[in-house]
Amino acid sequence: MTLTELRYIVAVARERHFGRAAEACFVSQPTLSVAIKKLEEELDVRIFERGANEIKVTPLGEDIVRQAQSVIEQASAIHEIAKRGKDPLAGALRVGLIYTIAPYLLPELVKNVIEQYPQMPLMLQENFTVKLLEMLRTGELDCAIMAEPFPDTGLAVAPLYDEDFMIAVPASHPFAGRESVSAEELKSETMLLLGAGHCFRDHVLEVCPEFARFSSDAEGIRKSFEGSSLETIKHMVASGMGVTVVPALSVPLLPPTHLRFVPFAPPVPTRRVVLAWRKTFTRYEAIAALRNAVYGCSLAGVKRLS
């Protein structure tokens, strides 16, 4: 049994496809397949069920893959310990961010990291919360910046900031000149929402639960639209197609001419943004450096947490 064989089975479990797993491991498919078959014969168990169109991990294989991932992490930790003796921050840090944070935090964050920690380049992944959690579990990411709540996966978590929600409306809308608007008043509006999979969509539906029960005859609700990004939805709001709810960090310092951002009336809905990483991850200094780089950002409209 070798580390290489363990990396192969982890890759196949992740990709559910021998060809894609081979590409991810930079080897030919026959090389990967032979190595996995050899490991199965050595262990005298079937790790994978091979179907015509899909590869499935057997129940026992799930345990083996999980242990293989742990072994790979521990082997990697040996190299990290050696690096830390020379420079605790040396080497790339693989960071994931959800879609409703990345566009607004990354430009300044990356600049801060380059200036303060040039020996620690960031490898960035933008994705849904559920996918980032899976990538943390499998070791494809070292840490992730996400919004709570998310399923308890045994991760270490450090709070970064609390962020108020705001209401985006067309400049011609009656709400545009208001000092604040209540969640109750949004019931009669055409709400533009992010599509399924975005955790911020769930946050908005907590504020306005009526939209979760949307139907053509729902009282007080005319229609809704699902978009792929906050920026797409903002453009649609600016064109007069409805209103939406956005996190404070996404509000530009100079709003577009046809768009206005109005605060919620108390109680103001918020979300907590955190930095999460596996408890087995050994580069504590890198996590601390990333957190400090986040705190070095302007973070307009949010409340930093220590």
Side-chain angles (χ1 to χ4, degrees):
M1 184 186 306
T2 67
L3 283 174
T4 298
E5 291 169 346
L6 297 183
R7 291 190 180 97
Y8 288 170
I9 65 171
V10 169
V12 173
R14 181 179 65 245
E15 300 293 340
R16 295 294 198 272
H17 190 278
F18 277 85
R20 291 194 296 271
E23 291 177 4
C25 295
F26 303 102
V27 297
S28 67
Q29 183 172 334
T31 297
L32 180 137
S33 298
V34 168
I36 291 178
K37 188 173 187 300
K38 172 179 171 291
L39 181 59
E40 287 180 321
E41 290 174 350
E42 178 183 342
L43 298 175
D44 194 25
V45 298
R46 291 186 64 186
I47 301 174
F48 302 106
E49 294 179 4
R50 298 156 175 83
N53 300 314
E54 185 181 11
I55 302 297
K56 294 183 178 179
V57 187
T58 65
L60 185 58
E62 292 279 4
D63 292 336
I64 292 173
V65 170
R66 192 176 301 111
Q67 186 63 36
Q69 179 61 51
S70 177
V71 171
I72 292 169
E73 286 188 20
Q74 293 303 314
S76 177
I78 295 174
H79 292 285
E80 296 298 339
I81 291 170
K83 287 181 182 178
R84 286 168 60 188
K86 300 175 183 178
D87 184 350
L89 301 179
L93 185 67
R94 299 170 297 176
V95 184
L97 302 95
I98 57 175
Y99 290 113
T100 56
I101 292 177
Y104 315 110
L105 180 62
L106 276 183
E108 193 172 0
L109 175 60
V110 171
K111 178 176 177 291
N112 288 349
V113 170
I114 291 174
E115 291 177 351
Q116 299 172 34
Y117 314 105
Q119 72 276 43
M120 189 183 77
L122 300 182
M123 298 177 63
L124 302 168
Q125 169 72 229
E126 189 180 13
N127 220 309
F128 296 113
T129 298
V130 64
K131 180 60 177 177
L132 296 181
L133 290 171
E134 173 66 15
M135 295 178 76
L136 280 173
R137 187 184 69 80
T138 60
E140 294 175 83
L141 289 176
D142 299 322
C143 58
I145 297 176
M146 302 178 289
E148 290 184 327
F150 47 81
D152 181 9
T153 56
L155 297 172
V157 175
L160 294 175
Y161 56 83
D162 284 341
E163 183 175 27
D164 288 350
F165 296 169
M166 298 191 72
I167 304 162
V169 301
S172 59
H173 195 282
F175 290 166
R178 296 268 298 273
E179 291 187 3
S180 65
V181 173
S182 69
E184 183 71 19
E185 292 177 279
L186 293 180
K187 290 181 179 180
S188 60
E189 298 297 318
T190 300
M191 178 66 74
L192 309 184
L193 298 170
L194 285 170
H198 290 276
C199 63
F200 190 71
R201 169 193 173 91
D202 299 329
H203 295 157
V204 174
L205 291 177
E206 288 179 10
V207 179
C208 309
E210 294 78 11
F211 288 94
R213 301 190 299 271
F214 170 76
S215 65
S216 59
D217 59 351
E219 182 179 356
I221 299 174
R222 297 192 300 275
K223 56 184 177 178
S224 68
F225 167 83
E226 294 183 355
S228 60
S229 75
L230 282 178
E231 294 309 306
T232 298
I233 291 177
K234 285 180 188 177
H235 286 299
M236 297 186 70
V237 170
S239 68
M241 296 188 67
V243 304
T244 195
V245 175
V246 299
L249 202 60
S250 74
V251 176
L253 295 177
L254 295 174
T257 305
H258 301 298
L259 197 59
R260 296 289 184 272
F261 296 92
V262 185
F264 271 93
V268 178
T270 66
R271 69 174 178 179
R272 173 157 294 183
V273 174
V274 301
L275 176 61
W277 66 95
R278 291 183 309 283
K279 292 179 180 178
T280 56
F281 186 59
T282 58
R283 294 179 62 192
Y284 311 113
E285 296 86 352
I287 296 294
L290 181 64
R291 195 179 182 196
N292 288 337
V294 172
Y295 287 146
C297 298
S298 57
L299 299 178
V302 309
K303 177 185 176 183
R304 291 175 172 80
L305 300 172
S306 59

